Amino acid sequence: MPTRVMLEKYADVILRVCLRFERGQRLIIMPYLTMEEAQPEAFMLIQIITEQAYKAGARYVHIQWHDQQIEGLRLLHADTLEDWPAWESEGILSWYDEGAARIAIAGQNPDGLSRVSPERFGQAQRYSAQFTTPLLERITSDALKWTLANVPVRGWARRVYPDLSEAEALEKLWDAIFEICRVTAADPLAAWEDHVAELGRRNSYMTRKQYAALHYTAPGTDLTIGLPKGHLWLGGFARLSDGRPYIGNIPIEEIFTVPHREQVNGVVSFSLPLAAEGNIVEGATLRFEAGRVVEVTARTGRETLERWLAVDDNARYLGELALVPNSSSVARMRTLFYDGLYDENAASHLAIGTAYKNCLSGGAQMTDAAFLAAGGNISAQHLDFMVGSGQMNIDGILEDGSAEPVMRAGEWAFA
Amino acid sequence: MPTRVMLEKYADVILRVCLRFERGQRLIIMPYLTMEEAQPEAFMLIQIITEQAYKAGARYVHIQWHDQQIEGLRLLHADTLEDWPAWESEGILSWYDEGAARIAIAGQNPDGLSRVSPERFGQAQRYSAQFTTPLLERITSDALKWTLANVPVRGWARRVYPDLSEAEALEKLWDAIFEICRVTAADPLAAWEDHVAELGRRNSYMTRKQYAALHYTAPGTDLTIGLPKGHLWLGGFARLSDGRPYIGNIPIEEIFTVPHREQVNGVVSFSLPLAAEGNIVEGATLRFEAGRVVEVTARTGRETLERWLAVDDNARYLGELALVPNSSSVARMRTLFYDGLYDENAASHLAIGTAYKNCLSGGAQMTDAAFLAAGGNISAQHLDFMVGSGQMNIDGILEDGSAEPVMRAGEWAFA
């Protein structure tokens, strides 16, 4: 199990490198932890972050614990799903608006809510959304500094490494997280500075190029994705409105932008299984015509995939494309983590559903209608699926139709 | 370690027997848990209580986690101690006032705050008191149903059983808690009904007698404690203003009332060590004259004891006397638990400092001045110390000076 020294390095990466916590700030730590399955080391990490934050001048560190199993019991058994501690959501919001920073610590059993029916889940979400939506809006609009990092819990470790003993699986998952998050680097802070600087350079290059489209080829894939005018490549540092930087989640190995919702044509094959909501989709292909998914195949989970595409009208359109080299710190593990954050940083991916307005110049100020007209997508869905591999080539297509290499055999083709 | 079946029985005792939880209520569970030292079983108990509460018609179960180690880091390192999530205290208060019930689950390392200076502790308490005092007032005035129960954590188990391995100590502490709290009884609910009925009978008997004084004799003890007119013996069921009963903490083996602050004379010897705030007092005696402690001796910890008596002027006067038979479920363990709740239920005890107004007929409506004039005591201090043993005799002294046996050799002397 991890030593205190390793946990201190991980805390350092989270608090200093990613959150760039500032003296005098309040800090809200939100452990999304399956408590019964957590190890003492998970709680120790939270303590270490708390201690480091106070030593760095935190005004107050508030821990808002979330236990998915406890929430699951409500979803399974409560007479009513229409009650909520509104004062808690409102209180957290008031602290966000007074300048608090937020760290989420995720350690959930991927099967934790598998007994809950989608109907009950949806009913509860619809009621609580009136209280939680303002919190999410602050996060997605960079109104506060926030960072998300993971810790192993037993159920997650068992799922990732089913052939190991529980203790071995936990140990291996800690090791994987530390390796992926550069905690094992000789100088983790320097390694992170180099890494985000590289992501920044690649964002600048790609944004400057303003490719009209990207052309993806790989076994089972021949897809052209148009890019709207004024698209911005992001990834690495996020920024508050006054320019102060932070890193919103670790790992972060991707750069991403917004596709033009009506300019996607061709076929794309999933390169990794897609695990979400306790379901798994494997060996899938999507065929697009004028941006819309018109054909779906899958070795397993085709119906699940169709259901995800049917959430609303725009769930059949792309909302994100992200480039991740095949040598990324996550991809090197060759492991399916059953965790969106880890898995999406393992390979170049696309997402059906809603797009990020801040990936379009001036997009953050656009109405939904204006964003749609500019080529963005708006949907209640946002689901990432992995398409990249060591066999993928990607060309950037300029306005004049000429092509330049962006990725070759899964790796960057420019400096 | 405890089986799920035993944890379910314990949850049943807490939720049904003690809290008497009602359909449609909200439930606030406050685990005062040293998370890093807790076992999965502690979290499992909280889950089981949550599940049982929802199945019993709970409107919402909110878990407000308190980790003493996290609070300790604030007390040790924060630049300012003058900040607080006021919205949380106010939110909990609003739920109390809308009819919520409360379960506190205590599992703390007794040495958890030993590195914090009394000055910093006091400073933090003074600031947060403006937010937390209304919550405490609701609890002490029976404005809501509340129950406090314990779970083992590693630091506590090590302290209680220093000669055992950690795993053995935890196992033995779970066993002790289950035994003491009648969870091991063939029918725990029936055992509790019998027990609180007996406490009720003894309260009625003692209240009806209206002894003018109690006279304690034991090796090193010869003490007479006057009782004010209209004193009430309590213990067992507490009651909301509309009469609905609940049990405020488990274990509960005592019946207690208010002494007359100016009518205490003689010498009393501690029968058990007194552990509080990381300090220990052993082999102590107190000599009282006209209610006031005029002489203190102790084999160890005399200065600590003097400090506790010097909190304010009235800290040198008694505020509580409680009778616990030497065969009580806690006393039978012959174990110092380093936990106020457990240790005070192990032996007849007294407390210096503030008295409970509800132990005097009409006392709850009295001003502080009126309560003092009636023989009650008001102080910022309330510290229990154990005086009972198998060698203690207690007589009840009637108005005419005649004596009747109340306890003999540590056991009840009336039916």
Side-chain angles (χ1 to χ4, degrees):
Chain A
M1 293 307 143
T3 61
R4 188 175 170 97
V5 170
M6 289 304 290
L7 292 171
E8 284 173 351
K9 286 187 185 181
Y10 191 31
D12 227 25
V13 165
I14 295 167
L15 192 72
R16 289 175 60 192
V17 175
C18 294
L19 200 63
R20 307 201 164 218
F21 186 75
E22 295 168 54
R23 185 161 288 278
Q25 278 197 295
R26 288 173 177 142
L27 175 62
I28 297 169
I29 303 179
M30 295 191 180
Y32 289 79
L33 261 188
T34 307
M35 303 250 188
E36 186 189 332
E37 302 196 355
Q39 302 169 276
E41 285 78 4
F43 299 112
M44 205 188 290
L45 175 69
I46 291 162
Q47 272 187 52
I48 292 169
I49 294 172
T50 301
E51 180 167 356
Q52 289 185 358
Y54 277 124
K55 288 182 173 173
R59 184 166 171 74
Y60 196 96
V61 180
H62 179 72
I63 321 261
Q64 193 198 13
W65 303 90
H66 296 258
D67 186 332
Q68 189 189 50
Q69 286 187 313
I70 296 285
E71 175 65 1
L73 293 170
R74 184 172 82 96
L75 299 181
L76 282 172
H77 302 300
D79 283 350
T80 175
L81 294 172
E82 302 210 335
D83 197 20
W84 189 256
W87 44 266
E88 186 174 51
S89 308
E90 289 159 8
I92 299 277
L93 190 69
S94 72
W95 274 27
Y96 283 172
D97 289 347
E98 289 168 35
R102 170 186 185 264
I103 292 173
I105 301 290
Q108 312 257 43
N109 184 336
D111 305 316
L113 294 180
S114 57
R115 289 163 59 212
V116 176
S117 76
E119 291 70 31
R120 296 270 294 175
F121 190 83
Q123 198 187 336
Q125 292 279 89
R126 276 191 299 279
Y127 183 78
S128 62
Q130 61 187 302
F131 309 107
T132 57
T133 301
L135 295 168
L136 269 177
E137 280 173 358
R138 296 299 191 283
I139 289 168
T140 54
S141 66
D142 296 321
L144 70 148
K145 290 185 179 185
W146 60 272
T147 289
L148 166 63
N150 284 49
V151 292
V153 293
R154 285 194 282 272
W156 183 29
R158 278 197 310 268
R159 185 73 182 268
V160 178
Y161 304 112
D163 299 333
L164 299 184
S165 75
E166 190 174 89
E168 289 169 334
L170 281 162
E171 182 93 41
K172 187 157 176 166
L173 191 49
W174 276 112
D175 288 346
I177 287 173
F178 288 157
E179 173 83 22
I180 287 168
C181 296
R182 297 174 171 75
V183 179
T184 49
D187 182 343
L189 276 57
W192 269 95
E193 294 299 340
D194 288 351
H195 175 58
V196 289
E198 188 200 336
L199 291 176
R201 277 197 313 278
R202 298 202 183 276
N203 284 328
S204 299
Y205 174 94
M206 290 294 285
T207 297
R208 209 163 51 236
K209 281 287 183 182
Q210 284 294 307
Y211 289 120
L214 295 188
H215 180 216
Y216 291 62
T217 51
T221 291
D222 185 350
L223 183 74
T224 301
I225 303 178
L227 300 177
K229 284 193 191 355
H231 66 270
L232 305 172
W233 286 86
L234 304 177
F237 282 129
R239 288 183 192 279
L240 302 185
S241 58
D242 63 9
R244 275 177 294 157
Y246 72 95
I247 296 172
N249 52 57
I250 55 172
I252 182 149
E253 302 293 321
E254 58 169 349
I255 69 169
F256 61 95
T257 192
V258 53
H260 194 297
R261 72 188 291 271
E262 291 170 357
Q263 297 178 2
V264 184
N265 289 285
V267 175
V268 65
S269 296
F270 288 25
S271 59
L272 286 169
L274 171 57
E277 298 168 15
N279 293 292
I280 195 152
V281 174
E282 288 180 286
T285 69
L286 299 177
R287 191 161 66 79
F288 291 84
E289 277 182 17
R292 194 160 187 279
V293 174
V294 294
E295 194 184 330
V296 177
T297 72
R299 200 165 58 245
T300 56
R302 201 182 73 84
E303 284 183 14
T304 300
L305 187 50
E306 286 281 10
R307 201 168 67 239
W308 289 335
L309 287 164
V311 165
D312 55 30
D313 289 347
N314 288 339
R316 296 188 89 84
Y317 291 83
L318 285 191
E320 181 192 350
L321 73 167
L323 302 181
V324 180
N326 199 47
S327 59
S328 89
S329 70
V330 189
R332 280 198 305 267
M333 294 286 156
R334 302 279 174 262
T335 301
L336 183 63
F337 285 98
Y338 298 92
D339 177 274
L341 181 55
Y342 274 68
D343 290 333
E344 80 172 22
N345 279 292
S348 290
H349 54 274
L350 306 173
I352 52 166
T354 209
Y356 300 113
K357 284 184 174 176
N358 61 351
C359 287
L360 201 58
S361 179
Q365 286 77 45
M366 285 183 184
T367 62
D368 286 359
F371 187 57
L372 279 164
N377 195 30
I378 303 280
S379 167
Q381 180 61 282
H382 183 97
L383 191 69
D384 295 281
F385 56 95
M386 272 47 81
V387 301
S389 71
Q391 295 168 280
M392 174 165 272
N393 296 321
I394 300 177
D395 282 347
I397 313 295
L398 291 160
E399 280 293 341
D400 65 5
S402 61
E404 296 178 351
V406 171
M407 293 193 114
R408 283 293 175 268
E411 300 298 334
W412 295 114
F414 61 93
Chain B
M1 294 306 143
T3 60
R4 187 174 171 97
V5 169
M6 288 305 288
L7 292 170
E8 284 173 351
K9 286 186 186 182
Y10 192 31
D12 228 24
V13 165
I14 295 167
L15 193 71
R16 289 174 60 192
V17 175
C18 295
L19 200 63
R20 305 199 167 220
F21 186 74
E22 294 167 54
R23 185 161 289 277
Q25 279 197 294
R26 287 172 178 143
L27 176 61
I28 297 170
I29 303 179
M30 295 190 179
Y32 289 80
L33 260 189
T34 307
M35 303 252 189
E36 187 189 331
E37 301 196 356
Q39 301 170 277
E41 285 78 4
F43 299 112
M44 205 188 291
L45 175 69
I46 291 162
Q47 272 187 51
I48 292 170
I49 294 172
T50 302
E51 180 166 354
Q52 290 185 358
Y54 277 123
K55 287 182 173 173
R59 184 167 172 74
Y60 197 97
V61 180
H62 179 72
I63 321 262
Q64 195 197 12
W65 303 90
H66 297 257
D67 186 332
Q68 190 190 47
Q69 286 187 312
I70 296 286
E71 176 64 1
L73 292 169
R74 184 173 83 96
L75 299 180
L76 282 172
H77 303 300
D79 282 350
T80 176
L81 294 172
E82 302 209 335
D83 197 20
W84 191 256
W87 44 267
E88 186 175 49
S89 308
E90 290 159 6
I92 299 277
L93 189 70
S94 72
W95 275 27
Y96 284 172
D97 289 347
E98 290 168 34
R102 170 185 185 265
I103 293 172
I105 302 289
Q108 312 256 42
N109 184 337
D111 305 316
L113 294 180
S114 57
R115 289 163 59 212
V116 176
S117 76
E119 291 70 31
R120 295 271 295 175
F121 189 83
Q123 197 186 337
Q125 293 279 86
R126 277 191 299 280
Y127 182 78
S128 61
Q130 61 187 302
F131 308 107
T132 57
T133 300
L135 295 169
L136 269 175
E137 280 173 358
R138 296 299 191 283
I139 288 169
T140 54
S141 66
D142 297 321
L144 71 148
K145 291 185 178 184
W146 59 272
T147 288
L148 167 62
N150 284 50
V151 293
V153 293
R154 285 193 281 272
W156 183 29
R158 278 196 310 267
R159 185 71 182 270
V160 178
Y161 305 111
D163 300 332
L164 299 184
S165 75
E166 190 175 271
E168 288 168 335
L170 281 161
E171 182 92 39
K172 188 158 176 165
L173 191 48
W174 276 112
D175 288 346
I177 287 173
F178 287 157
E179 174 82 22
I180 287 168
C181 297
R182 297 174 170 76
V183 179
T184 49
D187 181 345
L189 276 57
W192 270 95
E193 293 299 341
D194 288 351
H195 175 58
V196 290
E198 188 199 336
L199 291 175
R201 276 197 314 275
R202 297 200 183 278
N203 284 329
S204 299
Y205 174 94
M206 292 293 287
T207 297
R208 211 165 49 236
K209 281 287 183 183
Q210 284 294 307
Y211 288 121
L214 295 188
H215 180 216
Y216 292 61
T217 51
T221 292
D222 184 350
L223 184 73
T224 300
I225 303 178
L227 301 177
K229 285 193 189 358
H231 66 270
L232 305 172
W233 287 86
L234 304 177
F237 282 129
R239 289 185 191 277
L240 303 185
S241 58
D242 64 9
R244 276 177 294 160
Y246 72 95
I247 298 172
N249 53 56
I250 54 173
I252 181 148
E253 303 293 321
E254 58 170 349
I255 69 168
F256 61 96
T257 191
V258 53
H260 194 297
R261 72 189 290 271
E262 290 170 357
Q263 297 176 3
V264 184
N265 289 285
V267 175
V268 65
S269 295
F270 288 24
S271 59
L272 287 170
L274 171 57
E277 299 169 15
N279 292 291
I280 195 152
V281 174
E282 289 179 285
T285 69
L286 299 178
R287 192 163 66 79
F288 291 84
E289 278 181 19
R292 194 161 187 280
V293 174
V294 293
E295 194 184 331
V296 177
T297 73
R299 200 164 59 244
T300 56
R302 202 184 72 84
E303 284 183 14
T304 300
L305 186 51
E306 286 281 11
R307 201 168 67 238
W308 289 334
L309 287 163
V311 166
D312 54 31
D313 288 348
N314 288 339
R316 296 188 89 84
Y317 292 83
L318 285 190
E320 180 192 349
L321 74 166
L323 303 181
V324 180
N326 199 47
S327 58
S328 90
S329 69
V330 189
R332 279 198 306 267
M333 294 286 156
R334 301 280 174 261
T335 302
L336 184 63
F337 285 99
Y338 297 92
D339 178 274
L341 180 55
Y342 274 69
D343 290 333
E344 79 173 22
N345 279 294
S348 290
H349 55 273
L350 306 172
I352 52 165
T354 209
Y356 300 112
K357 285 185 175 175
N358 61 351
C359 287
L360 201 58
S361 179
Q365 286 77 46
M366 284 183 185
T367 62
D368 287 358
F371 186 57
L372 280 163
N377 196 31
I378 303 279
S379 168
Q381 180 61 280
H382 182 98
L383 190 69
D384 295 280
F385 55 95
M386 272 48 80
V387 301
S389 71
Q391 296 169 279
M392 175 163 272
N393 296 322
I394 301 176
D395 283 346
I397 312 296
L398 291 160
E399 280 293 341
D400 65 5
S402 62
E404 297 178 349
V406 170
M407 294 192 114
R408 283 294 175 267
E411 301 298 335
W412 294 115
F414 61 93

